[in-house]
Amino acid sequence: MATTAQVHQTKWWSGGKSPFNLEYGKLMMWYFLMSDAFTFGAFLISYGTIRFSQNFWPDPNVVFNAFPGAGHANLPLAFVSVMTFILIISSVTMVLAVHAGHKNDKAGVVKWLGWTIVGGAAFLGCQAWEWHHLITGEHAVLVDGQIDLIGQTMRANPWGSLVPHESVAAALQKTPHETLVALAHQSNHALSHEQLAAMTDQQLVNTINIDALHVRSKGPVAFGGYFYGITGFHGFHVFSGVVINIVMLKMTQNNVFQNRGHYLMIEKAGLYWHFVDLVWVFVFLCFYLI
Amino acid sequence: MQHPAFEEVSFHHHTDDDTFYKKVKKTTILLSIITVIELAIGLIIYNIHKGESPNELLVLMFKGMVCILTLAKAYYIVSVFMHLGDEIRNMVMTIVVPLLLFIWFITAFIWDGNSYRNLRNNYDKHFQETTTPAKGHGHQDKHQDPPAGKQ
Amino acid sequence: MSETSTIHTGAVHAVHHGDHGHGHHEQSFISKYIFSMDHKTIGKQFLITGIVWAIVGGLFSVLFRLQLGFPDQTFPILETFFGHWAKGGQIQPEFYYGLVTIHGTVLVFFVLTAGLSGTFANLLIPLQIGARDMASPFMNMLSYWFFFLASVVMMSSIFVHTGPASGGWTMYPPLSALRQAGDGQKIGTDLWLIAMALFIVSSLLGGLNYISTILNMRTKGMSMTRLPLPIWAMFFTAVLGVLSFPVLLSGAILLIFDRNLGTSFYLSDIVINGEILPNEGGSAILYQHLFWFLGHPEVYIILLPAMGMVSEILSVNARKPIFGYMAMLGSMFAIAILAFLVWAHHMFVTGLNPFLGSVFVLLTLLIAVPSAIKVFNWLTTLWRGNIRFTPAALFAIGFVSLFISGGLTGIFLGNSTIDIHLHDTMFVVAHFHIVMGVASFFGMFAGVYHWFPKMFGRYMNNTLGYIHFWVTMAGAYLIFWPMHYQGLAGMPRRYLDKRGWVSFNQFTDLDKMITVVSIIVFAVQLMFVFNFFYSIYKGRRVMTQNPWGANSLEWTTPINPGHGNWEGEIPEVHRWPYDYGKDGREFIPQTEPVGANESKH
C-alpha cells in the first residue's frame, strides 16, 4: 500500500478528480444502496411500530421450528440458521470473485461467481420451502368457540396465545366433523383417514389427546403481512441479485470485461450482493431472533 | 498512477493476496461465530419463555445483546466484504452520517407505536381484553413438543 | 429549437469516461430530441413536461375554485366538457375530490419536483461545475422516461370511468385503502400508486446522478466552496430525495398490499356500508408517519432548488457578491438535516403521542433559524446593490417576499397547541401555497427567465415578463392572504360546499374574489407559456456569450452549446462565482486567475 502518502498529499476536493477516488458508477451504487437501506429500514421500522402497538406478538421460536424432512420435530431456528449461513458463504464467494476480478483472473471470476449464483439459488429454494410450509400448515385455532385449522397467511395468523385445556374440551364439542378428523389424524397415525372419517364426533373427540393438542387463539394478522412482505421484498432482491450475477457471469465468459481491461462491473454487482446479505442480517434479527 | 478507464480516479488500491485471504478468512470465521452466538441467545430466550414466569428484564437484556451483535455483523460485512473500510475517510463519512437519521427514525416510530397501544388499552377496553394474553396460560409455551402442525 | 440543431458544434471531446465516449457522428432526430442523452435536452424535456402538467394542475384549481367561489351558480359549459362529472353544470362531489387530489399530486411531484429540480439540476449541474454531461447520461435519460411513464399513468387515471384518485394528495388510508369507499378509490387510486412508484424510480435515478456528478465531475479548480449556490441547492435536494423517497415507496407498497392482498398494515376495526371488515391490528397513523417522512423533506426538495437559483440570480442582478456564502451553505445543510427530523408536525391531531409531538414542535421551530439566516442574506445581498430589474430578478425578489410571508405562518402551525385550532383549515392551505407552492414557482420562473438564453439561444419577451410578474405577485397575495382569515375563523379546507354554516357566510364575497383572481392569474400563466414557446422560435436572438455579465461557467460555453458543452478544453476555475463589483470591476468570471494585487473577498 504505497498509497497512504498519496492519500494525504492529494487535494481531494479541488476539482478535476473524484474526491473519494472512486469512479462514478461505484459511487452511484453506494448511494443507491443507501437509498435501498431506507426502503428496507422503513419496512422494518413499520413492522416494529405495529409490533409495539400490539399487546401480544407470536414468539418466533414457536413459528419457525420446522426443518425439511424432520417431520414434526421441534427445531426452533434450525432452518433459518442454514439459510443465514448460505447467504454468508455466498457473500464470501462474491468477495473472492471481486478479488479475482482485481487480478484480471477470468477463470477465478467465473468460478467464484458461479458459486455465488448457486448460493443465491439455494437461499431462494429455502425461502420457497419455508413459505410453502407456513402457508399450507394446519394449526388448531380457537375461532368463535370452535376449533379451526388455519395456516399462516397474509389474512390470518394462527399463533395467538395458548388456549387452556378446559376451553379446548368445550370447543371440541362444537367443532365440525372434518376438522375433528384432521385433528384426530394428527394425534393418531395408526388409523387411516377413511377409518377416522367413519367415526362419530364423540369417538373422534375421545381419540384426540387433549394434552398434546395445542390450540391457540388467533394472533395478530399484521405478523403475516410483514413477514411475507419483508422476506418477499428481500427475496426479490436476492432474485434480482442472482439475475445480475448470471448476466455478469455471461459477460465474463464472453470476455466483455477482459476486453474492457477491468472488472469494475463485478465490483458493483458485488456491492449489491453484499447488501442483500446485509439486509438479511437485519431481517434475521427482527423476525427470527427478537 | 492513472486508472486506465476513469480519469476521475487518481490511483488504484492494491492489496497483496496473502493479507487479503487472511482478512477474508478471519471475517468469515468472525461472522460465523457471531451468528452462532446469536442463535444460542435465541434459544436461551426460547427457554426463558417456556418457564413459569419469564423474567422480562432478562429477555430484554438478551434481545439487546442480539441487536448489538447484529450491528457488529453489519459492520464487518460493510467494512470488509464491501471494502468500505479501505475507502477514503470522507467517503466512509458520507455513508455513515446519513445512517444516523435512523436513530430518530426508529425512536419516533417505535415511540408512537407504543403510545398507540397505551392509548387503545386506556380507551378501548375491548381491544385490551381481547388481545392481552391471560396470566397463567399466557404466551409462554409450557409444553416441550410443538403445536399441532402438518408437514 | 431549430438553432440548437444547426449550430451543432460537434466538438464533443472524448467524454470524461472512456468506456462509453461518444465520437462525433450525425444524430438522428430521435436520438437528439427524444431519447437524448444530452443533459440540456433532458432538462428541456423535464421543463416542457412540467409546463404541461402545470397547465393541467392549474386548470383543475380553477375548476374547483369555481365551485368554492360560486356554489350557487351553474356553468353549463362544464357539463359539455366533463359530462356526468359536472351534471347540470355543477361540479359533483367525486369530481371535486378528484380535482383537488390530482391538483395537489401533480403540482407537488410532477411540476415542482420533476419540473423544477429535474429541469434545472439537469441543465445547470454540468454547465456550472464544468462537466461535459452527467456522470451517467444513460441513466439520466432513463430518469426522464420513467417520469414520462409516470405521467402517462397519472394522466390516464383522469380518463378512467370511475375517475382519478380522490383521497387527497396525501392518500391517507383507510379511505384510500378501500375500494368500496368510493369511485375514486377504485382503479384511479391503483393508477395513482403505480404512477408514484414510477415517479420514485425516476427521481432516484436522477438524484443518484446529480450527487455523483457534483462530487466526481467538477472541473479543475472547482472546489466545493467555489460551486455556485444553485449547485449546492441541487446537491442537498438530491440527497433529500435519495434518502426520503424510498420511505414513501415502502409506504405505498404496503398500501398496495392492503388494497389488493387483504393485509392489515393500515386497517383495523372498520365498518363500511354496513359490512364489518376482517382487517385488524393495523394503524392508519403508521401510513402518515411513512408518508410524512418523505412528505416533509419533499417540501424542501421543492424549495431548495428555488432558493439556490434565487441566490444566484439576486447576486448577478444586484451586481454584488452573495452575502454570506458559507452561511448559505450552512443553513442549507441545517435545513436538509432538520427536514428529516420534523415530519410528525403534520400529524399533531392524528392521535400522535402529545409528548412526542412536543419534541417535534421543538425541532420544527428550529427550522426558523436557518430560514431566517437565508432571508437576511438575500436582503443584505440586495442592500445597496445596483439592481437590474429583469423579470428574473423581479421573480427572485418576489420569492424572498413570499418566503417571508409564508414562513411566518409556519411558526403558527409548527406549535402543536395552535395547530389544534388551525389544522385542516384554509390557514394551512394559505401557508403552504405561499411558502412552498407560489414561492417555488417564483424561483422556477426566475430560473426560466434567467437561463432561457442558455437553453434556447434567445431571450423571452421582457414586457410580457413584467406583466407576468406583477399580475402573479399581486394575484398570489390576493388569492392566499384572505385564506388566512378564513382559516383563523375555522373554515375547513377540502370542503365542497360551506353554505350550510352561517358563520362562513361572511366569506361568500371573499371567496368570489379569490376565484376571480385565480382565473386571472391562471390566464396570465398561459400568457407566460405563450411567451415561452413563442420565444423559443421568435425571441430576440442572444448575441453575446454572457448576456447577464455573470461569473459562472455556463456563460463561457458557446451561445448554443452542443453535446459536450465546451468546444475546446473545459475551462479551469480560479475563484468563487460571486466576484461582482470587486476592485472596480463589474464582474470577474470564475475562469480568470486571481491577480497578484487583488483584494480578498
Side-chain angles (χ1 to χ4, degrees):
Chain A
M1 296 272 258
T3 51
T4 325
Q6 233 173 323
V7 169
H8 291 296
Q9 281 158 15
T10 314
K11 285 186 171 166
W12 287 110
W13 293 97
S14 63
K17 62 174 82 65
S18 162
F20 305 140
N21 203 36
L22 287 177
E23 76 276 8
Y24 74 89
K26 216 163 158 187
L27 210 54
M28 270 190 205
M29 183 48 100
W30 266 110
Y31 295 138
F32 164 71
L33 295 180
M34 165 86 80
S35 153
D36 218 19
F38 274 79
T39 319
F40 273 109
F43 278 134
L44 289 172
I45 292 168
S46 306
Y47 159 75
T49 307
I50 290 295
R51 192 168 158 176
F52 266 81
S53 73
Q54 300 287 332
N55 285 319
F56 172 84
W57 201 257
D59 181 354
N61 293 297
V62 174
V63 182
F64 308 106
N65 67 351
F67 200 89
H72 290 222
N74 181 26
L75 300 167
L77 289 176
F79 190 55
V80 71
S81 55
V82 172
M83 289 166 74
T84 306
F85 275 107
I86 289 176
L87 221 47
I88 290 179
I89 297 306
S90 83
S91 227
V92 176
T93 57
M94 193 74 209
V95 173
L96 297 171
V98 171
H99 187 66
H102 272 303
K103 296 190 293 181
N104 281 346
D105 168 14
K106 181 184 156 188
V109 174
V110 170
K111 178 171 103 185
W112 292 117
L113 212 48
W115 282 113
T116 310
I117 294 167
V118 170
F123 180 86
L124 285 173
C126 291
Q127 200 164 43
W129 182 86
E130 190 179 42
W131 276 36
H132 179 259
H133 173 79
L134 285 171
I135 295 169
T136 57
E138 288 185 343
H139 309 281
V141 177
L142 183 70
V143 185
D144 298 333
Q146 62 177 45
I147 294 172
D148 211 352
L149 289 172
I150 57 177
Q152 170 64 65
T153 65
M154 302 256 250
R155 293 165 194 270
N157 182 317
W159 313 107
S161 49
L162 276 177
V163 175
H165 293 320
E166 315 84 70
S167 320
V168 173
L172 278 174
Q173 301 301 330
K174 295 186 207 154
T175 302
H177 186 69
E178 274 82 277
T179 315
L180 286 176
V181 171
L183 285 172
H185 191 63
Q186 279 175 3
S187 61
N188 190 342
H189 291 283
L191 294 166
S192 77
H193 197 272
E194 287 72 29
Q195 286 170 300
L196 287 168
M199 290 159 80
T200 65
D201 281 6
Q202 198 50 50
Q203 283 172 310
L204 284 168
V205 170
N206 293 339
T207 341
I208 296 166
N209 175 6
I210 294 195
D211 282 336
L213 179 63
H214 296 274
V215 179
R216 292 171 180 278
S217 53
K218 282 206 283 187
V221 208
F223 181 89
Y226 278 110
F227 177 75
Y228 292 120
I230 295 177
T231 57
F233 200 64
H234 175 262
F236 171 69
H237 274 70
V238 178
F239 174 73
S240 53
V242 169
V243 171
I244 291 170
N245 286 345
I246 291 174
V247 173
M248 292 298 125
L249 184 67
K250 280 285 152 210
M251 286 169 86
T252 313
Q253 283 172 332
N254 296 338
N255 289 324
V256 177
F257 304 126
Q258 205 72 33
N259 298 339
R260 210 178 268 179
H262 59 81
Y263 281 78
L264 288 171
M265 283 296 272
I266 303 281
E267 280 189 44
K268 283 175 244 170
L271 283 179
Y272 185 78
W273 189 258
H274 296 310
F275 177 74
V276 168
D277 184 24
L278 182 67
V279 171
W280 180 254
V281 166
F282 287 96
V283 173
F284 179 53
L285 172 77
C286 294
F287 280 102
Y288 297 89
L289 289 176
I290 59 176
Chain B
M1 192 185 80
Q2 200 79 321
H3 192 278
F6 293 91
E7 58 181 60
E8 74 240 45
V9 174
S10 305
F11 57 82
H12 216 38
H13 282 293
H14 282 290
T15 325
D16 63 292
D17 271 10
D18 272 356
T19 4
F20 171 77
Y21 288 122
K22 223 182 263 170
K23 206 170 166 190
V24 171
K25 199 169 152 191
K26 199 182 115 196
T27 312
T28 313
I29 293 172
L30 214 57
L31 286 176
S32 311
I33 292 175
I34 297 179
T35 310
V36 169
I37 299 176
E38 282 182 344
L39 289 167
I41 295 179
L43 292 176
I44 292 174
I45 296 176
Y46 174 52
N47 281 302
I48 297 176
H49 272 163
K50 273 197 296 203
E52 271 303 318
S53 51
N55 184 341
E56 291 301 334
L57 199 70
L58 201 64
V59 170
L60 210 62
M61 203 190 76
F62 277 121
K63 287 183 175 176
M65 270 165 72
V66 201
C67 290
I68 293 165
L69 288 172
T70 297
L71 288 178
K73 257 164 88 176
Y75 166 79
Y76 283 111
I77 291 174
V78 176
S79 155
V80 179
F81 285 0
M82 295 169 92
H83 296 292
L84 189 63
D86 302 333
E87 305 293 0
I88 291 175
R89 207 185 127 78
N90 280 328
M91 169 68 195
V92 181
M93 294 321 271
T94 63
I95 302 294
V96 174
V97 171
L99 291 181
L100 295 179
L101 292 174
F102 270 113
I103 298 174
W104 182 232
F105 192 0
I106 294 171
T107 315
F109 270 63
I110 299 289
W111 184 345
D112 200 38
N114 194 48
S115 147
Y116 186 49
R117 177 187 57 192
N118 293 337
L119 285 174
R120 277 190 298 175
N121 281 341
N122 281 338
Y123 300 109
D124 182 354
K125 285 298 164 200
H126 175 75
F127 169 80
Q128 191 187 22
E129 282 155 18
T130 49
T131 57
T132 312
K135 283 274 168 266
H137 36 253
H139 61 299
Q140 60 267 36
D141 278 11
K142 279 173 283 182
H143 306 272
Q144 294 294 327
D145 27 24
K150 193 190 80 169
Q151 211 61 40
Chain C
M1 227 177 318
S2 57
E3 260 56 44
T4 25
S5 59
T6 48
I7 312 179
H8 177 65
T9 63
V12 183
H13 286 260
V15 182
H16 39 262
H17 26 89
D19 59 336
H20 37 93
H22 313 253
H24 171 54
H25 53 86
E26 282 308 312
Q27 287 176 304
S28 67
F29 179 82
I30 288 185
S31 70
K32 196 165 162 55
Y33 292 114
I34 299 181
F35 293 106
S36 169
M37 295 202 219
D38 183 351
H39 69 98
K40 299 183 289 298
T41 312
I42 295 172
K44 290 173 204 167
Q45 289 173 328
F46 268 110
L47 181 56
I48 289 168
T49 318
I51 287 176
V52 172
W53 273 119
I55 295 172
V56 173
L59 180 71
F60 281 13
S61 70
V62 168
L63 290 175
F64 63 69
R65 269 318 310 183
L66 275 182
Q67 163 64 30
L68 291 173
F70 303 96
D72 304 313
Q73 253 152 290
T74 55
F75 303 91
I77 187 164
L78 292 181
E79 194 171 11
T80 320
F81 278 107
F82 300 107
H84 71 277
W85 293 111
K87 208 181 289 164
Q90 275 215 313
I91 287 172
Q92 297 301 300
E94 294 83 8
F95 189 40
Y96 176 82
Y97 291 120
L99 288 174
V100 176
T101 303
I102 299 297
H103 165 82
T105 309
V106 151
L107 282 161
V108 167
F109 293 107
F110 288 48
V111 180
L112 290 174
T113 304
L116 175 56
S117 74
T119 304
F120 289 103
N122 270 305
L123 179 76
L124 294 181
I125 289 175
L127 282 172
Q128 289 198 331
I129 68 170
R132 300 232 179 257
D133 204 321
M134 283 289 175
S136 172
F138 176 71
M139 273 173 57
N140 208 24
M141 179 185 77
L142 275 189
S143 159
Y144 173 74
W145 287 103
F146 268 101
F147 170 53
F148 185 80
L149 218 59
S151 296
V152 170
V153 176
M154 187 64 84
M155 193 65 95
S156 67
S157 82
I158 299 171
F159 294 98
V160 295
H161 179 68
T162 46
S166 56
W169 79 279
T170 50
M171 214 44 71
Y172 284 168
L175 176 62
S176 63
L178 302 170
R179 273 164 217 289
Q180 53 280 54
D183 274 353
Q185 277 66 47
K186 298 197 165 72
I187 182 90
T189 302
D190 289 316
L191 291 171
W192 189 94
L193 287 164
I194 294 167
M196 285 314 296
L198 290 168
F199 183 86
I200 291 167
V201 173
S202 153
S203 106
L204 197 58
L205 286 168
L208 293 171
N209 231 332
Y210 307 154
I211 294 173
S212 32
T213 307
I214 294 171
L215 287 173
N216 264 15
M217 303 297 171
R218 284 166 290 121
T219 183
K220 278 205 184 65
M222 183 63 90
S223 62
M224 294 302 270
T225 45
R226 284 180 184 167
L227 286 174
L229 285 171
I231 303 303
W232 269 107
M234 308 294 178
F235 181 72
F236 286 123
T237 304
V239 172
L240 288 178
V242 162
L243 298 181
S244 65
F245 266 114
V247 177
L248 177 68
L249 182 67
S250 303
I253 289 174
L254 296 183
L255 186 55
I256 290 173
F257 283 178
D258 267 4
R259 287 176 58 79
N260 298 302
L261 299 174
T263 52
S264 305
F265 297 119
Y266 305 134
L267 300 174
S268 192
D269 310 313
I270 290 167
V271 181
I272 186 164
N273 303 333
E275 179 199 2
I276 301 170
L277 297 187
N279 305 78
E280 55 179 305
S283 159
I285 305 178
L286 173 64
Y287 175 85
Q288 301 194 15
H289 274 298
L290 291 170
F291 182 88
W292 287 111
F293 191 89
L294 156 91
H296 196 79
E298 172 65 26
V299 309
Y300 293 103
I301 290 173
I302 288 173
L303 202 54
L304 279 171
M307 287 176 163
M309 293 193 297
V310 161
S311 308
E312 172 81 12
I313 293 165
L314 283 181
S315 174
V316 171
N317 288 299
R319 312 310 285 155
K320 270 185 65 193
I322 188 82
F323 189 93
Y325 178 88
M326 289 309 282
M328 286 294 208
L329 292 194
S331 49
M332 277 199 277
F333 186 57
I335 286 174
I337 292 176
L338 286 171
F340 282 106
L341 309 181
V342 299
W343 72 88
H345 66 213
H346 299 267
M347 303 164 50
F348 286 142
V349 299
T350 56
L352 178 84
N353 181 303
F355 183 63
L356 180 60
S358 69
V359 180
F360 276 101
V361 171
L362 176 72
L363 290 165
T364 302
L365 295 184
L366 280 179
I367 299 183
V369 176
S371 306
I373 291 175
K374 292 193 80 75
V375 165
F376 288 123
N377 282 344
W378 288 317
L379 295 179
T380 36
T381 302
L382 287 170
W383 179 250
R384 306 186 69 167
N386 302 313
I387 305 173
R388 298 183 309 206
F389 289 103
T390 61
L394 285 176
F395 273 107
I397 296 167
F399 170 90
V400 179
S401 157
L402 289 161
F403 184 68
I404 296 171
S405 323
L408 287 174
T409 52
I411 299 176
F412 293 51
L413 292 167
N415 285 285
S416 52
T417 40
I418 305 176
D419 186 67
I420 292 171
H421 176 63
L422 293 176
H423 190 88
D424 255 341
T425 65
M426 295 304 278
F427 191 90
V428 179
V429 175
H431 161 69
F432 73 75
H433 273 92
I434 291 181
V435 77
M436 172 186 96
V438 187
S440 304
F441 254 107
F442 271 47
M444 190 170 172
F445 288 136
V448 172
Y449 282 107
H450 189 75
W451 279 287
F452 194 87
K454 194 74 256 163
M455 283 192 263
F456 299 104
R458 291 171 185 272
Y459 294 96
M460 288 179 75
N461 183 300
N462 262 358
T463 314
L464 291 181
Y466 290 130
I467 297 171
H468 180 210
F469 170 74
W470 287 109
V471 175
T472 313
M473 184 74 189
Y477 275 117
L478 280 173
I479 293 169
F480 295 113
W481 196 264
M483 289 187 190
H484 290 107
Y485 303 119
Q486 297 182 329
L488 285 168
M491 187 196 265
R493 66 193 277 212
R494 287 189 171 133
Y495 277 30
L496 168 79
D497 188 351
K498 294 149 190 155
R499 279 172 296 176
W501 286 273
V502 181
S503 50
F504 301 141
N505 283 348
Q506 53 173 328
F507 294 122
T508 313
D509 290 335
L510 197 59
D511 263 329
K512 282 197 176 71
M513 188 275 286
I514 293 175
T515 301
V516 171
V517 175
S518 59
I519 293 170
I520 296 170
V521 171
F522 181 66
V524 169
Q525 306 316 307
L526 292 180
M527 186 198 76
F528 162 78
V529 175
F530 166 76
N531 188 2
F532 180 84
F533 286 106
Y534 181 82
S535 304
I536 291 177
Y537 298 102
K538 302 277 163 143
R540 186 160 56 88
R541 222 181 271 270
V542 176
M543 302 310 269
T544 63
Q545 238 182 350
N546 191 353
W548 308 125
N551 291 339
S552 45
L553 282 181
E554 74 269 32
W555 307 108
T556 62
T557 59
I559 293 171
N560 288 298
H563 193 180
N565 298 340
W566 284 270
E567 288 187 1
E569 286 286 303
I570 300 180
E572 204 178 322
V573 164
H574 300 280
R575 57 175 76 237
W576 77 329
Y578 297 109
D579 273 339
Y580 293 102
K582 185 186 181 193
D583 296 342
R585 290 179 60 187
E586 201 189 343
F587 67 100
I588 313 175
Q590 279 190 284
T591 48
E592 197 174 309
V594 179
N597 303 321
E598 214 175 291
S599 57
K600 295 250 181 227
H601 63 250

